[in-house]
Each structure stands twice: as structure tokens, then as C-alpha cells.
Amino acid sequence: MVTDSRNRRAAQNADLRPSRGTPEATVARLPVYLRALTALAEQGVTTASSEQLATAAGVNSAKLRKDLSYLGSYGTRGVGYDVEYLRYQISREIGLTQDWSVVIVGIGNLGQALANYAGFTTRGFRIAALVDADPDRVGDRIGPHTIKDMADLERLIDRHEVSIGVITTPASEAQGVADRLVGAGVTSILNFAPSVLTVPAGVQVRKVDLSIELQILAYHEQRKANLDGAEMPPGLAAPEPAKEAAS
Amino acid sequence: MVTDSRNRRAAQNADLRPSRGTPEATVARLPVYLRALTALAEQGVTTASSEQLATAAGVNSAKLRKDLSYLGSYGTRGVGYDVEYLRYQISREIGLTQDWSVVIVGIGNLGQALANYAGFTTRGFRIAALVDADPDRVGDRIGPHTIKDMADLERLIDRHEVSIGVITTPASEAQGVADRLVGAGVTSILNFAPSVLTVPAGVQVRKVDLSIELQILAYHEQRKANLDGAEMPPGLAAPEPAKEAAS
DNA sequence: TCGATTTTGTTCTCACGTTCACAAAATCCT
DNA sequence: AGGATTTTGTGAACGTGAGAACAAAATCGA
């Protein structure tokens, strides 16, 4: 049955759930604002205008104001934002006023780096366990943590009420690990393995891919190089498609 | 001269520079397609439909087709895409048919992890140098590389024609390092330090921030938790703004 | 040869995100 | 007190991106 496509922009949910819709793009910037506020607080600044804040966060001030307006009216016209107060409000919005337990799966170079990473143990997150499949590594200590056996994954997740999993295994293992994490009750995954994860609806996955970032930079490098040298007219760049596939 | 009546959305720049504008969102997905194609090629698949490819890349097929159409018409209707041919075309578009020299600055845990990271040394990228400011670390070997002194940064960049710099220093050092990289001719930076970089126009910066990713996950976790438990009516969530700033 | 089938390339529409611009609110100064 | 000044919060315009839908091109089978 086709829902008649005529209620074009009608029935905006603007009536049903107005205030609880913070755009994704905004959510992604809130941590940046939080960091900027923390830096200002450490400098002893108690009040900041949207202009100051925007500069510190590397965005433009209109965007910052609009972003903050989704959380509520926490500024004072003619004055600016109270640094500590806004800091608390953003922390609360993100959910950093409570602690989140994190498990890191795959303690290779990257996993170790993350376990030691200062920003990781910032207030709000607690490393509940480091897990690896290699028996030789189990028992090794990384800072204050001991590497646990992969077999205990489900038990550890349950005992420490882990809701966030970080995958730093090889790509070939990532999907299997994700399945076990989800099966054990994890509902958010941060994936560093270069592989596409399939998870049930309701499970959040974010992906960090180092080689993709590099490739995006390479693309822009190449564009710059082409512009500098011979600016070739568009449409002539492609040579005749030889199209001899390796058979 | 404007033809009067009907050009509402007319005067699209579709006439001036049509072919050379690949959207950023598309560029960011090309590496994903490339990886999917490589995986298919390794399985011996020589031809793939947009549907297959899209599934492998974790996107929907209409988006994939539209993305590929920016590069040109490299598919065959009724058949699909030749895997090897498309792989080459995307590689060329991204700029992976040439080699890019990369310098990594700051060889702490993360820097070491990156230096060893397999995806990093994928075809297209070459680690030209590892650099650290700590004299104790200079001379240490990481795989096939030797850590060089920070003082030699400019010389190394020049000698190896480095165009891409990776910053894995503490946040406090990041801007200074960026300045030196740019001064020495680097035009693309991948920044892992949690700090906002200011660079001249024309220099590309991409940022990878682990704690931000975690915080975004936390936000969604909290939303899920709030929905499960007591769905509080919007507008009542905020307690009275106590607003006692630390004076 | 010609129709049936497959699958691409592209158009159109809608949703989302960004930026501008300005009224509303708060403070400051005379 | 009241006008000038500062700065927020937001409405509106604009631009980019996503997805549905379909015509055009290629193959296949009779």
C-alpha cells in the first residue's frame, strides 16, 4: 500500500516532539564546545561570548549559538555564557554526568594506545576491561589494567555493566566481536577495524578509519597538484576507456 | 542574458563547471568503495552490480550509483561494474596511483601504533619519517623506521618531498608542530591531538578525535536509557537553573 | 530481428545543515 | 530614567545531500 505522497511537508513532527530533537551535526560538535569551555575555565575565564567560544572551538558564532539553542537558553543577552554553567549543561546533555563502562577488544598496538590514551579516561568513561584473543597476551598489564581472556567477554560485560565496546581487532575478527558484544548487551560500538559492521537496529556504531582519512587528504592533495600544474579543461581529463579487464 | 519566464532554479552553474565538482560526502565514501572492490577482487569476483557493491560497502545502491557517476560512466547497463576497472578508476580519482610521503610527528603510544598500522602502509602511502621531540626516543627503531630528531623536521620534509603530516603529539604541542609542518611545505594534516588547529587557507586539515567519538556514543546511550525508563515530557527535564558560578 | 530483462545514470523532491540578519533582552552610561 | 550598546536566540534563505523513481542502454532468448 502506498502512502499517498501528498502530505508533502505536512505532519511535521514539530508538534509531537519538538524539544528533544538535537540534530546529529550539533551533537557531534558539543564535545568540541565542551573542550573549549574547559580550556577557558582553566584560564580563569568565567564568562564567554558566542564569538569567543566559537573562535576557541573553530566554528562560526552563528552556528554555535544555534547549536546551543537546542539545549535551551543558557546564555544571557548582552553578556554571554557563564563558562561553568554551560559546561555543566553540555556535560549533562551528552551524558557525562554519569560514568560509562567501556571494554576494549583487541589489544594490539592501537588497543594499547587507546588504553593509555589520556582523553579516554576523561571524566565520564571508565575502562572496565581489556580483552584479547591471544593467550600469550592475557595477563599482561597495560597501566593499571590486566588483559583478560576473550572467553570471558560476556561475563565481563555483564559484571561491569558495559554499554560501550571498542573494537581494535583485525578486520577479519571485527564482525564476530561485534556480534558477541551485541549479544552480551552492548548497545554502542566504536569500530577501529577497517570493516563494515552489521548490527541490529538500536545499536549505535561509529567508525574511525585511519586509512580513509589519509585517502581523503590524498584526494585533495591531488586536486591541488592538478590545479597548480596544467589546469585541464573538464571533460578532457579522462583518456579513452581502454577497459581491458584482467581476465 | 536571462531567458525570462521559466528559469526559477535556472542559472545552475551546470554550464560552467559541471564535471569537476565531486561532493565532499562522495569523496569520503570513495575509499569505502575501494575497499569493498578490493575485497571482491580477492574473492575472484570480476563483475559486480551496484546492489552488490552497495551491500559490501554498507550504503544504499542509489547513493553508490550517484557517487560513481561523478567520476564518469564506468559501469555497463544491464551488467554492472568491472571490478578491476572500477578499482583503478577510483584509485586514480583519489590519487593512489602515485605515492604520498607521510611524516608522523610525536611517537608516543598512538604514533607507534600508526607507524605499525597495516592500513597505513597500504599502496599509495609511504612513511618518510617518524619524528619525536624527546631525545631519549630519538634513534629507537619502530619496525623498519628509526625515530628522527624534531630539529630535523624541515630537512626531512624537504628531502622526502613530504606533503602529508600526521600529528600525534600532546594537544599543547599540536599547533606549534602544525606551524612548522606548514612552514616546511606540508599542505595536508591529519591531526590526532585534541586541539583546534589554525592553518593558512589551502592547507587541508582532518581531525580524528577518539574522546569525541566516545562522547557522541554516550549521548545516544543516554537517550536510549531515558527512553526506556521514564519518558519525561520535554521541557520539564531541566531543574531550576541554580546558576551559581564559581566566583 | 525484436521483445523481455537487467541494471545503470540521472532527474526530482524532500530533509538536513549552514549562514545571514534582525528583533528581543540584558547591561552600561549619562 | 532612558537611550546607546552589546549579544543572544531564532526566523528565513540558501546550499548540500539522500533516496525514490524512471528513462536509457546493454544483454539475452526466441
Side-chain angles (χ1 to χ4, degrees):
Chain A
M1 124 173 50
V2 181
T3 63
D4 69 328
S5 59
R6 189 136 328 183
N7 36 354
R8 318 187 175 202
R9 74 207 58 177
Q12 297 128 316
N13 41 14
D15 235 5
L16 288 173
R17 27 194 76 217
S19 65
R20 263 309 160 200
T22 306
E24 263 307 303
T26 296
V27 171
R29 281 187 294 265
L30 291 180
V32 181
Y33 302 154
L34 190 55
R35 182 173 290 152
L37 284 165
T38 303
L40 288 174
E42 278 170 3
Q43 293 168 30
V45 178
T46 61
T47 298
S49 70
S50 62
E51 200 68 54
Q52 286 178 270
L53 260 176
T55 303
V59 302
N60 101 11
S61 65
K63 182 148 60 180
L64 179 135
R65 284 200 302 278
K66 179 158 273 197
D67 283 342
L68 294 184
S69 78
Y70 289 110
L71 316 193
S73 279
Y74 294 137
T76 308
R77 296 176 190 222
V79 178
Y81 300 90
D82 182 288
V83 171
E84 276 305 324
Y85 182 58
L86 184 56
R87 204 154 83 95
Y88 171 73
Q89 291 299 341
I90 294 181
S91 287
R92 197 172 51 81
E93 178 79 9
I94 299 179
L96 298 185
T97 48
Q98 59 193 283
D99 263 22
W100 301 100
S101 285
V102 178
V103 58
I104 303 181
V105 183
I107 313 300
N109 275 301
L110 187 56
Q112 283 181 46
L114 291 185
N116 285 313
Y117 186 49
F120 218 93
T121 30
T122 315
R123 176 159 56 243
F125 299 97
R126 189 163 27 85
I127 295 182
L130 308 179
V131 176
D132 200 286
D134 182 353
D136 291 348
R137 271 197 271 231
V138 172
D140 288 2
R141 297 189 65 82
I142 308 285
H145 302 282
T146 308
I147 300 181
K148 299 296 201 317
D149 194 291
M150 189 69 181
D152 295 332
L153 181 62
E154 284 79 4
R155 206 170 334 168
L156 289 163
I157 290 174
D158 194 52
R159 182 178 316 153
H160 294 96
E161 293 186 326
V162 172
S163 51
I164 300 179
V166 177
I167 300 179
T168 46
T169 64
S172 54
E173 311 302 319
Q175 182 63 57
V177 170
D179 292 344
R180 286 184 62 183
L181 288 174
V182 171
V186 165
T187 47
S188 287
I189 294 177
L190 182 51
N191 181 29
F192 285 86
S195 101
V196 176
L197 293 187
T198 306
V199 297
V203 176
Q204 295 288 324
V205 175
R206 290 193 68 86
K207 185 175 139 188
V208 175
D209 196 315
L210 315 176
S211 67
I212 285 183
E213 298 298 326
L214 270 190
Q215 289 178 39
I216 295 173
L217 286 177
Y219 170 85
H220 292 293
E221 275 300 312
Q222 192 185 38
R223 263 178 68 92
K224 280 183 247 177
N226 286 348
L227 246 83
D228 287 348
E231 177 156 0
M232 48 181 57
L236 286 182
E240 42 194 337
K243 195 157 189 174
E244 49 184 29
S247 62
Chain B
M1 181 71 63
V2 180
T3 63
D4 46 1
S5 56
R6 193 145 318 193
N7 39 356
R8 320 188 180 193
R9 75 207 59 175
Q12 299 126 317
N13 44 11
D15 237 3
L16 288 172
R17 31 191 71 218
S19 66
R20 261 313 157 196
T22 305
E24 264 309 301
T26 296
V27 172
R29 281 187 295 264
L30 290 180
V32 181
Y33 302 155
L34 191 54
R35 183 172 291 153
L37 284 166
T38 303
L40 288 174
E42 279 169 3
Q43 293 168 28
V45 178
T46 61
T47 298
S49 70
S50 63
E51 200 67 54
Q52 285 179 270
L53 260 176
T55 303
V59 301
N60 101 10
S61 65
K63 182 149 61 179
L64 179 135
R65 285 200 301 277
K66 182 175 268 197
D67 284 342
L68 294 184
S69 78
Y70 288 110
L71 315 194
S73 279
Y74 295 137
T76 307
R77 296 175 191 222
V79 178
Y81 299 91
D82 181 289
V83 171
E84 275 305 324
Y85 181 59
L86 183 57
R87 204 154 83 96
Y88 171 73
Q89 292 299 342
I90 295 182
S91 286
R92 195 171 53 80
E93 180 79 9
I94 298 180
L96 298 184
T97 48
Q98 59 193 284
D99 263 22
W100 300 99
S101 285
V102 177
V103 59
I104 302 180
V105 183
I107 314 300
N109 276 302
L110 188 55
Q112 283 181 46
L114 292 184
N116 284 314
Y117 185 50
F120 217 92
T121 30
T122 315
R123 176 160 54 245
F125 299 96
R126 191 163 26 86
I127 294 182
L130 308 179
V131 177
D132 199 286
D134 182 353
D136 292 347
R137 271 196 271 229
V138 172
D140 287 2
R141 298 189 63 82
I142 307 284
H145 302 283
T146 308
I147 300 181
K148 300 294 200 318
D149 194 294
M150 189 70 179
D152 294 332
L153 181 62
E154 285 78 4
R155 206 171 333 169
L156 288 163
I157 289 173
D158 194 54
R159 183 179 315 150
H160 295 97
E161 293 186 325
V162 172
S163 51
I164 301 178
V166 177
I167 299 180
T168 46
T169 64
S172 54
E173 311 302 319
Q175 182 64 57
V177 170
D179 292 344
R180 287 184 62 184
L181 288 173
V182 171
V186 166
T187 47
S188 287
I189 293 177
L190 182 52
N191 181 29
F192 285 86
S195 103
V196 176
L197 293 187
T198 306
V199 298
V203 176
Q204 295 288 325
V205 176
R206 290 192 69 86
K207 184 175 140 189
V208 176
D209 195 315
L210 314 177
S211 66
I212 285 183
E213 298 298 326
L214 270 189
Q215 290 177 39
I216 295 172
L217 287 177
Y219 170 85
H220 292 293
E221 274 300 311
Q222 192 186 37
R223 262 179 69 91
K224 277 184 251 176
N226 285 349
L227 247 83
D228 286 349
E231 178 155 0
M232 49 180 53
L236 286 182
E240 42 196 336
K243 194 156 190 174
E244 46 184 31
S247 62

